[in-house]
Amino acid sequence: MKHIDVCLTPDLLHLHTVENTIVVVADVFRATSCMVTAFAYGVKTIVPVATIEECQQWQERGYLAAAERNAHRVDGFELDNSPFTYMDEQIRGANVAMTTTNGTLAITKSRSAVKVLVGSFLNLDAVARFLKTEPYDVMVLCAGWKGRVNLEDTLFAGALIDRLKDSYALAEDSAIVAHRLYCDGKENLVGYMANASHIRRLQRLGIQKDITYCLQHDLYDVVPVLRGNALVAMEM
Amino acid sequence: MKHIDVCLTPDLLHLHTVENTIVVVADVFRATSCMVTAFAYGVKTIVPVATIEECQQWQERGYLAAAERNAHRVDGFELDNSPFTYMDEQIRGANVAMTTTNGTLAITKSRSAVKVLVGSFLNLDAVARFLKTEPYDVMVLCAGWKGRVNLEDTLFAGALIDRLKDSYALAEDSAIVAHRLYCDGKENLVGYMANASHIRRLQRLGIQKDITYCLQHDLYDVVPVLRGNALVAMEM
């Protein structure tokens, strides 16, 4: 039987081997939700980069560029970290470079995996269906917040486990923690998230509509996958 | 308001500052449950050490010595990592040196805190009552399993939060995760633990009675605290 494991933050990645594993990176608020939305609206490629300087270099080559630090857009870049930014006709066919506080770093740290996929509640079912067709173990890499565990990415890991539980065994306790938590909260995820730290951080920024949007399940049938240094869309 | 935070494994300790904080170390299966039991049965001091070599040095000075690695007793030491070992008259007044896979390392890593306490379900209420009398923030340090998050120590953190929730604010999402998990499982902790990885590891060793014992709440009114290099008991 295949196994599914959860790495609750990139700061615990040293405990995991990803070489024979498909990694699903989740940064629900908001990087991976943005990426999924962008591909659903026709973006051609997204290059995730770790630093603002790299993002500028791609911008100079003609890419649309998105840079976020501490939940704010960095000056000088076209796109920010709200998924609604990507619901735009000008996005269709574009190449995008993106750097965020947590999500893009988690992707670049996973390069040695068999495949690196981008997961969010928005494409949960598409990711689950794709994984079932593959022979590999799965690890969900929660992007967390500056190394810390966060509730929303843990809940995503639990949601994916819930979709896969009949065909995968849970590898370790972190997977059990994530799954139990999701089962506990799934009837009302928005309410369940109400006191989470990042929610408070985002609410101070006045973006409740982003939160509600990012917690919707199965809006899009797209699975972003890392090919070389760029994410591209697999239609499911 | 005071804050309570949870560090889900010692491998995430770099994200926390413990200098103005009381740290409660939990290694429910079985190091901290052993320590609490030992003090309840009259042990005078326990010196937690990181290595087997240090443990031998204390043994040569006349200490009773307990060394565990990978849930097994190390040859050449009197005591093992079962709490039932410590329910013995010969223990009364003894000085003990102890090294375990996870728990003692977590204690030695926390030395810069205001105080380091030893927590387990067995002395949950005593720890909670003591903390309420102190002006400091609290961090529960879950010993985990070789750096990984485990279910039992996370549940202990949630149980302590549940006892303190009226007088402490939750600092970060890891505290929310732990508390929600405990509330989800508290009606039947033994059942809730049934599939956890360390439980499977311990069941292979045939020590179900240790598991059931360690999940009992509030058996003892003792709070072990680190003074210099040794744990001593505070009676509550």
Side-chain angles (χ1 to χ4, degrees):
Chain A
M1 199 174 193
K2 295 182 282 186
H3 285 79
I4 185 162
D5 199 3
V6 177
C7 181
L8 289 168
T9 130
D11 280 30
L12 294 176
L13 203 49
H14 60 281
L15 300 168
H16 299 262
T17 52
V18 299
E19 278 64 25
N20 293 303
T21 302
I22 298 181
V23 172
V24 181
V25 175
D27 184 2
V28 168
F29 300 143
R30 295 170 288 167
T32 60
S33 298
C34 281
M35 290 169 176
V36 169
T37 303
F39 282 113
Y41 277 79
V43 157
K44 190 175 169 199
T45 65
I46 298 176
V47 179
V49 297
T51 67
I52 289 170
E53 292 67 31
E54 286 173 273
C55 207
Q56 282 168 330
Q57 288 162 9
W58 286 99
Q59 193 181 29
E60 286 159 12
R61 287 180 231 172
Y63 279 58
L64 289 178
E68 169 269 334
R69 285 296 179 272
N70 300 316
H72 290 277
R73 179 167 69 161
V74 180
D75 284 347
F77 294 96
E78 295 85 0
L79 299 164
D80 71 10
N81 204 27
S82 168
F84 294 101
T85 311
Y86 298 85
M87 297 175 182
D88 191 309
E89 266 302 311
Q90 69 148 354
I91 272 313
R92 188 165 297 280
N95 295 302
V96 173
M98 189 186 289
T99 183
T100 69
T101 311
N102 306 292
T104 55
L105 191 63
I107 292 169
T108 54
K109 279 185 168 182
S110 310
R111 286 188 193 283
S112 57
V114 173
K115 284 191 174 70
V116 181
L117 310 182
V118 167
S120 71
F121 288 105
L122 304 172
N123 69 337
L124 175 62
D125 191 59
V127 169
R129 276 187 286 121
F130 174 75
L131 291 171
K132 285 179 186 173
T133 68
E134 293 279 319
Y136 300 101
D137 289 342
V138 171
M139 188 187 80
V140 184
L141 174 55
C142 300
W145 181 260
K146 297 184 178 178
R148 289 190 177 227
V149 173
N150 73 24
L151 191 52
E152 62 272 19
D153 297 339
T154 307
L155 285 168
F156 168 80
L160 187 59
I161 290 167
D162 205 50
R163 301 283 172 110
L164 296 176
K165 63 180 187 291
D166 294 335
S167 36
Y168 291 76
L170 306 195
E172 288 284 342
D173 282 10
S174 50
I176 297 175
V177 166
H179 187 225
R180 298 248 168 100
L181 210 65
Y182 177 72
C183 291
D184 190 39
K186 67 182 174 185
E187 296 307 324
N188 177 12
L189 275 190
V190 176
Y192 202 73
M193 286 298 308
N195 292 313
S197 62
H198 198 49
I199 286 283
R200 294 192 304 250
R201 210 175 282 127
L202 291 177
Q203 278 171 339
R204 281 196 296 270
L205 299 171
I207 43 184
Q208 177 63 43
K209 71 171 185 173
D210 284 24
I211 295 167
T212 307
Y213 171 81
C214 293
L215 293 176
Q216 290 177 101
H217 291 48
D218 308 328
L219 283 194
Y220 305 121
D221 254 354
V222 64
V223 180
V225 60
L226 194 63
R227 293 253 165 83
N229 62 11
L231 294 162
V232 297
M234 292 190 288
E235 292 292 337
M236 289 300 296
Chain B
M1 200 175 195
K2 295 183 281 186
H3 284 79
I4 184 162
D5 200 2
V6 176
C7 181
L8 289 167
T9 131
D11 280 30
L12 293 177
L13 203 49
H14 61 280
L15 299 169
H16 299 263
T17 52
V18 299
E19 277 63 26
N20 291 305
T21 302
I22 297 181
V23 172
V24 180
V25 175
D27 183 1
V28 168
F29 299 143
R30 295 169 287 166
T32 60
S33 297
C34 282
M35 290 170 176
V36 169
T37 303
F39 282 113
Y41 278 78
V43 157
K44 191 175 167 196
T45 65
I46 299 177
V47 179
V49 297
T51 68
I52 290 170
E53 293 66 32
E54 285 173 273
C55 207
Q56 282 167 332
Q57 289 163 10
W58 286 98
Q59 192 181 30
E60 286 159 13
R61 286 179 229 173
Y63 278 59
L64 290 178
E68 169 268 336
R69 285 295 180 273
N70 299 316
H72 290 277
R73 180 167 68 160
V74 180
D75 285 346
F77 295 96
E78 295 86 359
L79 299 164
D80 71 11
N81 203 27
S82 168
F84 294 100
T85 311
Y86 298 86
M87 297 175 182
D88 191 309
E89 265 304 311
Q90 69 149 352
I91 264 333
R92 188 165 297 281
N95 296 301
V96 173
M98 188 185 288
T99 182
T100 69
T101 311
N102 307 294
T104 55
L105 191 63
I107 292 169
T108 55
K109 279 186 168 182
S110 310
R111 285 188 194 283
S112 57
V114 173
K115 283 190 175 69
V116 181
L117 310 182
V118 167
S120 70
F121 288 106
L122 304 172
N123 69 336
L124 175 62
D125 190 60
V127 169
R129 276 186 286 121
F130 173 76
L131 291 171
K132 285 179 187 172
T133 67
E134 292 279 319
Y136 300 101
D137 289 342
V138 171
M139 188 187 79
V140 184
L141 174 55
C142 300
W145 181 261
K146 297 184 178 179
R148 287 188 178 231
V149 173
N150 73 25
L151 191 52
E152 63 272 20
D153 298 339
T154 306
L155 285 167
F156 168 80
L160 187 60
I161 288 167
D162 205 49
R163 301 284 171 112
L164 297 176
K165 63 181 187 290
D166 294 336
S167 35
Y168 291 77
L170 305 196
E172 288 283 344
D173 283 9
S174 50
I176 298 176
V177 166
H179 187 225
R180 298 246 169 102
L181 211 63
Y182 177 72
C183 292
D184 190 38
K186 67 182 174 185
E187 296 306 325
N188 176 13
L189 275 190
V190 176
Y192 201 72
M193 286 298 307
N195 292 313
S197 62
H198 198 48
I199 286 282
R200 295 192 304 251
R201 212 174 280 124
L202 292 176
Q203 278 171 340
R204 282 195 297 270
L205 299 171
I207 44 184
Q208 178 61 46
K209 72 171 185 172
D210 284 24
I211 296 166
T212 308
Y213 172 81
C214 293
L215 293 176
Q216 290 176 101
H217 291 47
D218 308 328
L219 283 193
Y220 305 121
D221 254 353
V222 64
V223 179
V225 60
L226 195 63
R227 292 256 165 80
N229 62 10
L231 295 162
V232 296
M234 292 191 288
E235 292 293 338
M236 288 301 295

PDB file of all heavy atoms in Angstrom, chain B residues 55-66:
ATOM      1  N   CYS B  55      25.447   9.097  31.469  1.00  0.00           N
ATOM      2  CA  CYS B  55      24.644   8.299  32.393  1.00  0.00           C
ATOM      3  C   CYS B  55      25.542   7.324  33.160  1.00  0.00           C
ATOM      4  O   CYS B  55      25.406   7.153  34.377  1.00  0.00           O
ATOM      5  CB  CYS B  55      23.557   7.569  31.600  1.00  0.00           C
ATOM      6  SG  CYS B  55      22.078   7.202  32.539  1.00  0.00           S
ATOM      7  N   GLN B  56      26.502   6.723  32.451  1.00  0.00           N
ATOM      8  CA  GLN B  56      27.456   5.808  33.097  1.00  0.00           C
ATOM      9  C   GLN B  56      28.296   6.535  34.139  1.00  0.00           C
ATOM     10  O   GLN B  56      28.586   5.992  35.207  1.00  0.00           O
ATOM     11  CB  GLN B  56      28.377   5.173  32.037  1.00  0.00           C
ATOM     12  CG  GLN B  56      27.705   4.045  31.281  1.00  0.00           C
ATOM     13  CD  GLN B  56      28.475   3.610  30.038  1.00  0.00           C
ATOM     14  OE1 GLN B  56      29.191   4.412  29.434  1.00  0.00           O
ATOM     15  NE2 GLN B  56      28.309   2.347  29.666  1.00  0.00           N
ATOM     16  N   GLN B  57      28.703   7.765  33.814  1.00  0.00           N
ATOM     17  CA  GLN B  57      29.516   8.521  34.770  1.00  0.00           C
ATOM     18  C   GLN B  57      28.753   8.771  36.074  1.00  0.00           C
ATOM     19  O   GLN B  57      29.315   8.663  37.166  1.00  0.00           O
ATOM     20  CB  GLN B  57      29.962   9.847  34.138  1.00  0.00           C
ATOM     21  CG  GLN B  57      31.014   9.650  33.043  1.00  0.00           C
ATOM     22  CD  GLN B  57      31.156  10.871  32.151  1.00  0.00           C
ATOM     23  OE1 GLN B  57      30.613  11.932  32.445  1.00  0.00           O
ATOM     24  NE2 GLN B  57      31.894  10.722  31.056  1.00  0.00           N
ATOM     25  N   TRP B  58      27.490   9.090  35.987  1.00  0.00           N
ATOM     26  CA  TRP B  58      26.686   9.285  37.196  1.00  0.00           C
ATOM     27  C   TRP B  58      26.516   7.962  37.941  1.00  0.00           C
ATOM     28  O   TRP B  58      26.532   7.931  39.174  1.00  0.00           O
ATOM     29  CB  TRP B  58      25.324   9.883  36.854  1.00  0.00           C
ATOM     30  CG  TRP B  58      25.396  11.337  36.498  1.00  0.00           C
ATOM     31  CD1 TRP B  58      25.431  11.870  35.251  1.00  0.00           C
ATOM     32  CD2 TRP B  58      25.489  12.443  37.410  1.00  0.00           C
ATOM     33  NE1 TRP B  58      25.528  13.243  35.315  1.00  0.00           N
ATOM     34  CE2 TRP B  58      25.569  13.627  36.626  1.00  0.00           C
ATOM     35  CE3 TRP B  58      25.513  12.555  38.801  1.00  0.00           C
ATOM     36  CZ2 TRP B  58      25.658  14.897  37.210  1.00  0.00           C
ATOM     37  CZ3 TRP B  58      25.594  13.823  39.366  1.00  0.00           C
ATOM     38  CH2 TRP B  58      25.680  14.981  38.577  1.00  0.00           C
ATOM     39  N   GLN B  59      26.358   6.892  37.179  1.00  0.00           N
ATOM     40  CA  GLN B  59      26.217   5.567  37.794  1.00  0.00           C
ATOM     41  C   GLN B  59      27.466   5.229  38.611  1.00  0.00           C
ATOM     42  O   GLN B  59      27.374   4.703  39.734  1.00  0.00           O
ATOM     43  CB  GLN B  59      26.002   4.524  36.685  1.00  0.00           C
ATOM     44  CG  GLN B  59      25.553   3.156  37.175  1.00  0.00           C
ATOM     45  CD  GLN B  59      25.393   2.175  36.005  1.00  0.00           C
ATOM     46  OE1 GLN B  59      26.086   2.279  34.992  1.00  0.00           O
ATOM     47  NE2 GLN B  59      24.491   1.225  36.171  1.00  0.00           N
ATOM     48  N   GLU B  60      28.635   5.575  38.072  1.00  0.00           N
ATOM     49  CA  GLU B  60      29.891   5.302  38.784  1.00  0.00           C
ATOM     50  C   GLU B  60      29.996   6.107  40.076  1.00  0.00           C
ATOM     51  O   GLU B  60      30.713   5.727  41.002  1.00  0.00           O
ATOM     52  CB  GLU B  60      31.082   5.594  37.852  1.00  0.00           C
ATOM     53  CG  GLU B  60      31.242   4.518  36.771  1.00  0.00           C
ATOM     54  CD  GLU B  60      32.035   5.004  35.559  1.00  0.00           C
ATOM     55  OE1 GLU B  60      32.663   6.083  35.648  1.00  0.00           O
ATOM     56  OE2 GLU B  60      31.991   4.306  34.522  1.00  0.00           O
ATOM     57  N   ARG B  61      29.259   7.220  40.134  1.00  0.00           N
ATOM     58  CA  ARG B  61      29.238   8.024  41.368  1.00  0.00           C
ATOM     59  C   ARG B  61      28.164   7.550  42.345  1.00  0.00           C
ATOM     60  O   ARG B  61      27.881   8.230  43.331  1.00  0.00           O
ATOM     61  CB  ARG B  61      28.967   9.497  41.017  1.00  0.00           C
ATOM     62  CG  ARG B  61      30.148  10.184  40.386  1.00  0.00           C
ATOM     63  CD  ARG B  61      29.773  11.635  40.064  1.00  0.00           C
ATOM     64  NE  ARG B  61      30.138  11.956  38.703  1.00  0.00           N
ATOM     65  CZ  ARG B  61      29.824  13.087  38.076  1.00  0.00           C
ATOM     66  NH1 ARG B  61      29.106  14.005  38.705  1.00  0.00           N
ATOM     67  NH2 ARG B  61      30.212  13.309  36.855  1.00  0.00           N
ATOM     68  N   GLY B  62      27.495   6.420  42.043  1.00  0.00           N
ATOM     69  CA  GLY B  62      26.543   5.866  42.992  1.00  0.00           C
ATOM     70  C   GLY B  62      25.080   6.131  42.689  1.00  0.00           C
ATOM     71  O   GLY B  62      24.198   5.771  43.471  1.00  0.00           O
ATOM     72  N   TYR B  63      24.800   6.762  41.560  1.00  0.00           N
ATOM     73  CA  TYR B  63      23.407   6.998  41.180  1.00  0.00           C
ATOM     74  C   TYR B  63      22.786   5.722  40.615  1.00  0.00           C
ATOM     75  O   TYR B  63      23.470   4.921  39.967  1.00  0.00           O
ATOM     76  CB  TYR B  63      23.329   8.095  40.116  1.00  0.00           C
ATOM     77  CG  TYR B  63      23.382   9.497  40.667  1.00  0.00           C
ATOM     78  CD1 TYR B  63      24.480   9.922  41.427  1.00  0.00           C
ATOM     79  CD2 TYR B  63      22.350  10.398  40.444  1.00  0.00           C
ATOM     80  CE1 TYR B  63      24.530  11.215  41.939  1.00  0.00           C
ATOM     81  CE2 TYR B  63      22.393  11.689  40.944  1.00  0.00           C
ATOM     82  CZ  TYR B  63      23.478  12.098  41.689  1.00  0.00           C
ATOM     83  OH  TYR B  63      23.523  13.358  42.194  1.00  0.00           O
ATOM     84  N   LEU B  64      21.502   5.527  40.853  1.00  0.00           N
ATOM     85  CA  LEU B  64      20.742   4.565  40.050  1.00  0.00           C
ATOM     86  C   LEU B  64      20.648   5.136  38.645  1.00  0.00           C
ATOM     87  O   LEU B  64      20.473   6.351  38.478  1.00  0.00           O
ATOM     88  CB  LEU B  64      19.331   4.367  40.618  1.00  0.00           C
ATOM     89  CG  LEU B  64      19.218   3.621  41.948  1.00  0.00           C
ATOM     90  CD1 LEU B  64      17.744   3.569  42.378  1.00  0.00           C
ATOM     91  CD2 LEU B  64      19.781   2.216  41.838  1.00  0.00           C
ATOM     92  N   ALA B  65      20.758   4.269  37.652  1.00  0.00           N
ATOM     93  CA  ALA B  65      20.822   4.794  36.291  1.00  0.00           C
ATOM     94  C   ALA B  65      19.787   4.144  35.389  1.00  0.00           C
ATOM     95  O   ALA B  65      19.515   2.947  35.468  1.00  0.00           O
ATOM     96  CB  ALA B  65      22.217   4.606  35.707  1.00  0.00           C
ATOM     97  N   ALA B  66      19.197   4.989  34.519  1.00  0.00           N
ATOM     98  CA  ALA B  66      18.162   4.537  33.582  1.00  0.00           C
ATOM     99  C   ALA B  66      18.540   5.028  32.196  1.00  0.00           C
ATOM    100  O   ALA B  66      18.720   6.226  31.993  1.00  0.00           O
ATOM    101  CB  ALA B  66      16.804   5.117  33.984  1.00  0.00           C
TER     102      ALA B  66
END
